[in-house]
């Protein structure tokens, strides 16, 4: 069974997130999402609209997502890859080459971001 993992905040879930998850899941049998906790978001200088519990509830309802785990720190990826026997690490290409240190442990796939949508954009439109 081929296992994949991806990481992110996934705030205000939108079709950019879903398309990334769909494409990742098309390449593996089991897809894990490491979801940034509210505390970790502070380290990323991000405040999400939805808290972790809600973001996890939404992600878990997506048929492409098989498991959601917390992302608490920047440096848990190697441990996660080993712990879950991950074969493929996925990230949007806004992170291109940022996680190449994982090469010895698993395949790395950077997927193109979906243009024209982001949680920030949605928030800006709602606030208009
Ligand atoms: N994404 C996408 N298209 C968009 C918006 C986001 O493909 N229009 C992808 C991003 O490239 C990322 C994933 O959806 O792979 C989640 O996006 P974010 O929640 O913005 O992820 P980020 O805050 O960058 O967290 O340790 C890694 C970090 O946790 C990544």
């Amino acid at each position: 069974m081929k296992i994949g993992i991806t990481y992110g905040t996934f705030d205000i879930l939108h079709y950019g997130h879903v398309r990334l998850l769909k494409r990742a899941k098309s390449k593996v049998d089991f897809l894990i999402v490491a979801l940034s906790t509210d505390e970790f978001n502070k380290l990323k200088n991000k405040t999400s609209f939805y808290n972790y519990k809600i973001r996890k509830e939404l992600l878990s309802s997506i048929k492409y997502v098989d498991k959601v785990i917390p992302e608490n720190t920047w440096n848990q990826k190697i441990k996660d890859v080993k712990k879950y026997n991950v074969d493929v690490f996925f990230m949007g290409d806004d992170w291109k080459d940022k996680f190449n240190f994982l090469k010895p442990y698993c395949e790395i796939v950077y997927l193109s971001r979906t243009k024209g949508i982001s949680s920030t954009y949605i928030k800006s439109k709602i606030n208009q």
Side-chain angles (χ1 to χ4, degrees):
M1 175 160 86
K2 213 168 177 192
I3 298 171
I5 196 167
T6 191
Y7 292 72
T9 297
F10 292 95
D11 192 25
I12 312 185
L13 203 63
H14 54 68
Y15 60 91
H17 297 134
V18 171
R19 288 177 190 172
L20 176 109
L21 296 167
K22 180 176 183 177
R23 281 177 293 157
K25 186 61 189 289
S26 72
K27 299 174 189 292
V28 294
D29 303 299
F30 191 90
L31 182 62
I32 302 168
V33 176
L35 182 62
S36 308
T37 59
D38 299 327
E39 298 73 19
F40 182 50
N41 273 336
K42 287 197 185 88
L43 295 182
K44 295 191 330 186
N45 294 319
K46 274 191 163 186
T47 39
S48 59
F49 179 76
Y50 290 128
N51 65 26
Y52 178 80
K53 188 167 174 291
I54 298 275
R55 289 183 286 118
K56 178 172 181 176
E57 178 185 351
L58 288 168
L59 267 185
S60 307
S61 68
I62 297 176
K63 64 182 179 181
Y64 309 119
V65 177
D66 297 293
K67 184 179 183 62
V68 179
I69 63 171
E71 179 186 27
N72 297 298
T73 67
W74 285 112
N75 46 30
Q76 69 182 69
K77 294 181 173 69
I78 293 176
K79 182 170 61 63
D80 290 345
V81 166
K82 288 179 179 172
K83 178 177 177 183
Y84 296 102
N85 300 312
V86 169
D87 302 290
V88 190
F89 167 90
F90 298 98
M91 271 316 285
D93 61 5
D94 44 322
W95 291 91
K96 187 133 182 58
D97 296 332
K98 297 286 190 305
F99 299 112
N100 291 352
F101 62 84
L102 289 168
K103 266 204 181 99
Y105 306 99
C106 61
E107 187 188 344
I108 301 174
V109 174
Y110 294 106
L111 297 164
S112 57
R113 269 176 78 94
T114 301
K115 299 213 177 342
I117 188 73
S118 70
S119 309
T120 312
Y121 173 74
I122 295 168
K123 279 190 256 186
S124 71
K125 283 293 166 197
I126 289 172
N127 289 334
Q128 265 177 0

